[in-house]
Amino acid sequence: KVVVVLISDGRANVPLCTSMGEEFDPEADEDSKDGKPSRKYLKEETLACAKQLGVLPGFNLLCIDTENKFISTGVAKDIANAAMGKYHQIAKADGNAIASVTNAALNEMKNQ
């Protein structure tokens, strides 16, 4: 069993190809501006990866959303749902809050 703890505001800002040392191809994104990927492209790429991970046997995602609840885009929740994972929103992302949410979620997963 694998548990990945994702701490994110849900806002992807770097395409996967760049993370892998490759150049981003603006032609792959019809909404690309100035050679950079659009938010739509990044969101779709992130959700596609989450879906692929979510179907792996033994894979579990715990998504801790640090985005301000009042201006939330809901993307972190979408990521958790796409990966069939658990979602928790925390108001203040300090070490204690993250540890508390993580421990509670891991204990819940162990008991299932």
Side-chain angles (χ1 to χ4, degrees):
K1 199 172 204 182
V2 174
V3 178
V4 172
V5 179
L6 171 66
I7 303 169
S8 178
D9 63 2
R11 297 181 189 172
N13 54 15
V14 176
L16 186 58
C17 63
T18 302
S19 297
M20 295 171 51
E22 302 169 6
E23 296 264 333
F24 171 70
D25 179 9
E27 304 259 331
D29 178 8
E30 64 185 31
D31 299 320
S32 174
K33 291 185 182 170
D34 301 322
K36 295 181 180 177
S38 64
R39 291 221 183 266
K40 178 183 171 190
Y41 178 89
L42 293 169
K43 178 182 178 182
E44 289 172 358
E45 183 180 69
T46 301
L47 294 177
C49 289
K51 286 178 186 174
Q52 289 178 343
L53 291 170
V55 297
L56 294 174
F59 178 86
N60 296 277
L61 177 73
L62 168 59
C63 183
I64 299 176
D65 184 359
T66 61
E67 187 175 36
N68 184 319
K69 195 159 94 173
F70 298 107
I71 58 168
S72 178
T73 61
V75 176
K77 190 169 196 169
D78 293 341
I79 292 168
N81 289 337
M84 297 180 282
K86 301 279 185 192
Y87 170 83
H88 292 275
Q89 202 282 330
I90 57 176
K92 185 177 179 186
D94 64 16
N96 290 333
I98 291 168
S100 176
V101 167
T102 301
N103 284 331
L106 289 175
N107 286 330
E108 182 183 325
M109 286 178 189
K110 284 180 192 175
N111 295 327
Q112 290 180 346

